[in-house]
Amino acid sequence: MALPVRSVISGSIFLGNCCHARLYSFAAPSVPYRRTQYKASTTKMASANAQGRPKTIDSHLHIWASPLEAADKYPYFPGQEPTLPGHLDFLLQCMEEASVEGALIVQPINHKFDHSLVTSVLKKHPTKFVGCCLANPAENGTGVKQLEDLILKDGYRAVRFNPYLWPSGQQMTNEVGKAMFSRAGELGVPVGFMCMKGLNLHISEITELCAEFPSTAVLLDHLAFCKPPLNDEEKLAFSELLKLSRFPQVYVKFSALFRVSRMSSPYLDLVPLLAEVVSNFGANRVMWGSDFPYVVPESGYKGAKEAACLIASQASLSSSEVEWIMGKTVMQLFQGQWLP
């Protein structure tokens, strides 16, 4: 199935199929775009769903306990009580309304290193969700054993490095960080980086880890927090993001668009950024993510999916490239989890 269907008339765009036929008005940015050549493997997966609608898989979301669940079984980490709902039933409702078939659940800071809630959800919905655990960079090194247990015993298939959880003065390239990063690669588990305070602060650490441990796949959350650049520092950060494409194990999450855009939904200032990221990495190393539930008050869950499809359309991406970004990339990364 070819998607999205688009036609431009008088400064408006009609977007069908992928985004459930919606009309938007916009001022279209000028996008320099270089068509990316694909690996032979992409052709095989591109035709895998020729008989039906390609799956949409959300590469980045969170869940946490409802207040009742927190009081009963899954307590929040002190000081990290959520301010908006993010319980499982709400997520399932949002996913159904948006026709999203599966997702990667990233362990939320609200429960910190207590993974019991997410683990229970993974066991309840083993074919719908994949788990991304949170690395514990404690100086005593216990985080390595915790990581192994979460992967080997509880079935997690990714791990998040939050650099702001490292002990003061320590970097992700310290002994504990390298031990966890290396072990993740040995276990076939990708490592996600959350560079909330800016990629420039962490690019040297990420580059060192990628170079030293090439077998460990890397996920850069939320465009590595690169906004449309307005100054030299921001231009440098985006340039560094693009340079990471030289490492074949690095993937980019086109996720939490409301965090990186300077505009309201549908975030059309991200059109040139997506075009450049796809041009450098290839669509088969880019994946859409919502950042549920934080996205709900911003654009709504369904609106987040629609915005991503619209941006991809305005970036002149092909229907095949859109399919990779909206599901096939993450399906390829976690092979066997979601059947085409």
Side-chain angles (χ1 to χ4, degrees), residues 156-178:
Y156 285 79
R157 297 187 64 182
V159 57
R160 184 180 224 190
F161 274 30
N162 179 342
Y164 317 111
L165 295 178
W166 256 251
S168 178
Q170 297 288 310
Q171 292 191 325
M172 294 182 289
T173 48
N174 67 0
E175 183 178 354
V176 171
K178 286 189 174 183

Side-chain angles (χ1 to χ4, degrees), residues 36-55:
T36 302
Q37 297 298 316
Y38 278 74
K39 302 177 187 176
S41 64
T42 65
T43 303
K44 184 177 179 180
M45 277 200 71
S47 61
N49 261 340
Q51 303 303 315
R53 181 181 67 81
K55 287 184 181 294

Side-chain angles (χ1 to χ4, degrees), residues 18 49 60 72 78-80 83 131 193 201 235 260 294 307 312-313 322 329 332:
C18 181
N49 261 340
H60 194 106
D72 179 49
Q80 296 290 348
T83 58
F193 288 106
L201 293 177
K235 290 177 182 177
V260 292
Y294 299 107
S313 172
V322 175
T329 298
Q332 177 182 254

Side-chain angles (χ1 to χ4, degrees), residues 50-251:
Q51 303 303 315
R53 181 181 67 81
K55 287 184 181 294
T56 299
I57 307 295
D58 188 339
S59 75
H60 194 106
L61 55 75
H62 308 278
I63 59 166
W64 46 71
S66 67
L68 185 61
E69 290 172 323
D72 179 49
K73 194 172 183 180
Y74 304 110
Y76 306 126
F77 188 81
Q80 296 290 348
E81 296 79 6
T83 58
L84 71 167
H87 54 278
L88 175 62
D89 289 344
F90 183 35
L91 170 62
L92 292 174
Q93 176 187 340
C94 289
M95 291 177 68
E96 182 177 2
E97 291 174 353
S99 298
V100 174
E101 286 84 2
L104 177 66
I105 301 177
V106 180
Q107 171 71 9
I109 197 64
N110 311 83
H111 294 287
K112 206 167 183 182
F113 301 123
D114 179 359
H115 289 73
S116 56
L117 171 67
V118 173
T119 300
S120 72
V121 172
L122 299 179
K123 291 180 179 178
K124 188 175 182 181
H125 298 277
T127 62
K128 194 176 192 70
F129 297 117
V130 168
C132 175
C133 60
L134 181 62
N136 181 356
E139 289 184 280
N140 60 11
T142 55
V144 179
K145 180 63 164 60
Q146 291 173 19
L147 175 63
E148 291 175 341
D149 287 346
L150 287 165
I151 295 169
L152 299 174
K153 295 181 181 180
D154 296 325
Y156 285 79
R157 297 187 64 182
V159 57
R160 184 180 224 190
F161 274 30
N162 179 342
Y164 317 111
L165 295 178
W166 256 251
S168 178
Q170 297 288 310
Q171 292 191 325
M172 294 182 289
T173 48
N174 67 0
E175 183 178 354
V176 171
K178 286 189 174 183
M180 291 191 293
F181 192 86
S182 174
R183 189 64 176 131
E186 292 169 358
L187 295 172
V189 168
V191 173
F193 288 106
M194 185 188 73
C195 304
M196 182 172 284
K197 296 182 182 180
L199 179 60
N200 287 339
L201 293 177
H202 308 292
I203 186 63
S204 63
E205 299 163 77
I206 295 172
T207 300
E208 181 177 339
L209 290 170
C210 287
E212 188 169 342
F213 304 101
S215 64
T216 303
V218 166
L219 309 174
L220 299 172
D221 296 347
H222 314 333
L223 280 175
F225 286 86
C226 290
K227 291 178 177 282
L230 296 179
N231 54 48
D232 290 343
E233 182 179 358
E234 292 172 346
K235 290 177 182 177
L236 176 62
F238 188 60
S239 174
E240 293 292 347
L241 167 61
L242 298 181
K243 288 178 183 177
L244 287 173
S245 64
R246 71 187 186 274
F247 297 108
Q249 73 269 34
V250 175
Y251 295 75

Side-chain angles (χ1 to χ4, degrees), residues 276-295:
E276 283 295 314
V277 167
V278 171
S279 180
N280 282 267
F281 286 86
N284 56 333
R285 290 165 62 193
V286 181
M287 60 190 82
W288 167 73
S290 67
D291 202 21
F292 173 93
Y294 299 107
V295 72

